[in-house]
């Protein structure tokens, strides 16, 4: 057995910065999110390349059984009264779940199953979220600072962004300084 002590990968708890191995980063701007926010006119007027979130992850080899580790950094901001949020997705392999851990900022994790039942969990530093299989998930930043959350998920899970044809059944807006949850009427 090799007795060498290996320097592990590192996560800075307060900022969510990852280090110790090659990283991949994906940035998503408002322009990349057409149809995601309810106020299309406002979205159009703001669009351009305004960053909404970055995902930084270790460049893990995509082999059966491996796990990805990544951190989402979601900016504070709104489109109209609607808080900035991630696009949200089901996993392509529907049965595969994921764990999120809140690192900084405050927000909500919106979960929606295939029968459109929804649940919101408060995200804050130290909050732990077990996302079951068959459940779409989206982060929403309801605070004034960056919301960062660690995620660990199977490399084989994949992402399915198109399955939520009607989008999520809840929207979260700023109602004169309070967080208000609205049900979406798809009729
Ligand atoms: C991975 C995962 C997160 C999200 C990230 C960005 O399965 O859930 O790493 O990918 O928060 O959100 P999306 O992918 O919905 O744009
Ligand atoms: Zn996911």
């Amino acid at each position: 057995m090799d007795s060498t002590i290996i320097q592990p990968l590192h996560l800075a708890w307060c900022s969510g910065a990852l280090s110790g191995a090659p990283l991949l980063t994906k940035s998503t701007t408002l322009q990349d999110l057409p149809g995601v926010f309810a106020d299309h006119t406002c979205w159009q007027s703001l669009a351009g390349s305004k960053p909404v979130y970055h995902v930084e992850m270790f460049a893990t080899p995509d082999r059966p059984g491996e796990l990805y580790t990544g951190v989402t950094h979601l900016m504070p901001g709104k489109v109209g009264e609607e808080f900035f949020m991630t696009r949200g997705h089901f996993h392509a392999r529907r049965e595969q779940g994921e764990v999120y851990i809140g690192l900084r900022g405050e927000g909500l994790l919106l979960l929606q199953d295939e029968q459109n039942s929804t649940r919101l969990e408060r995200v804050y530093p130290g909050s732990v979220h077990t996302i079951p299989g068959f459940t779409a998930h989206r982060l929403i930043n309801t605070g004034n600072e960056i919301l960062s959350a660690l995620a660990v998920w199977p490399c084989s899970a994949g992402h399915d962004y198109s399955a939520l044809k009607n989008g999520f059944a809840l929207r979260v807006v700023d109602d004169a300084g309070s967080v208000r949850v609205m049900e979406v009427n798809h009729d």
Side-chain angles (χ1 to χ4, degrees):
M1 190 161 172
D2 186 352
S3 58
T4 314
I5 296 175
I6 293 180
Q7 188 64 25
L9 307 179
H10 187 74
L11 164 72
W13 283 119
C14 295
S15 66
L18 298 172
S19 56
L23 297 171
L24 301 173
T25 304
K26 184 175 177 231
S27 294
T28 300
T29 65
L30 264 185
Q31 212 166 7
D32 300 321
L33 299 170
V36 168
F37 295 93
D39 188 338
H40 184 73
T41 312
C42 182
W43 171 79
Q44 263 182 329
S45 70
L46 296 172
S49 54
K50 193 175 172 59
V52 180
Y53 55 101
H54 310 287
V55 179
E56 190 169 66
M57 54 191 277
F58 290 121
T60 309
D62 177 6
R63 288 191 295 252
E66 299 278 357
L67 298 170
Y68 283 131
T69 302
V71 176
T72 300
H73 300 282
L74 176 58
M75 304 304 127
K78 288 179 285 183
V79 175
E81 297 311 319
E82 191 170 17
F83 292 109
F84 274 7
M85 55 194 172
T86 57
R87 189 191 306 275
H89 59 271
F90 279 104
H91 289 156
R93 291 268 307 264
R94 287 288 192 279
E95 78 284 5
Q96 303 207 330
E98 182 161 0
V99 172
Y100 276 23
I101 296 176
L103 299 173
R104 69 171 162 179
E106 53 182 298
L108 295 167
L109 174 64
L110 171 55
L111 301 171
Q112 180 165 320
D113 68 18
E114 292 182 304
Q115 288 70 46
N116 294 334
S117 290
T118 51
R119 177 166 97 238
L120 283 164
E121 295 184 1
R122 206 161 74 78
V123 182
Y124 57 89
S127 64
V128 178
H129 312 270
T130 303
I131 302 171
F134 304 96
T135 306
H137 39 289
R138 157 180 281 172
L139 279 171
I140 303 166
N141 188 344
T142 56
N144 300 319
E145 60 173 317
I146 298 175
L147 175 69
S148 298
L150 173 72
V152 179
W153 70 100
C155 293
S156 56
H159 295 93
D160 181 350
Y161 293 101
S162 58
L164 280 157
K165 286 189 199 67
N166 293 322
F168 283 81
L170 296 181
R171 291 193 176 275
V172 182
V173 299
D174 179 2
D175 183 3
S178 300
V179 174
R180 184 155 68 95
V181 178
M182 295 167 55
E183 288 187 13
V184 178
N185 188 353
H186 287 307
D187 300 338

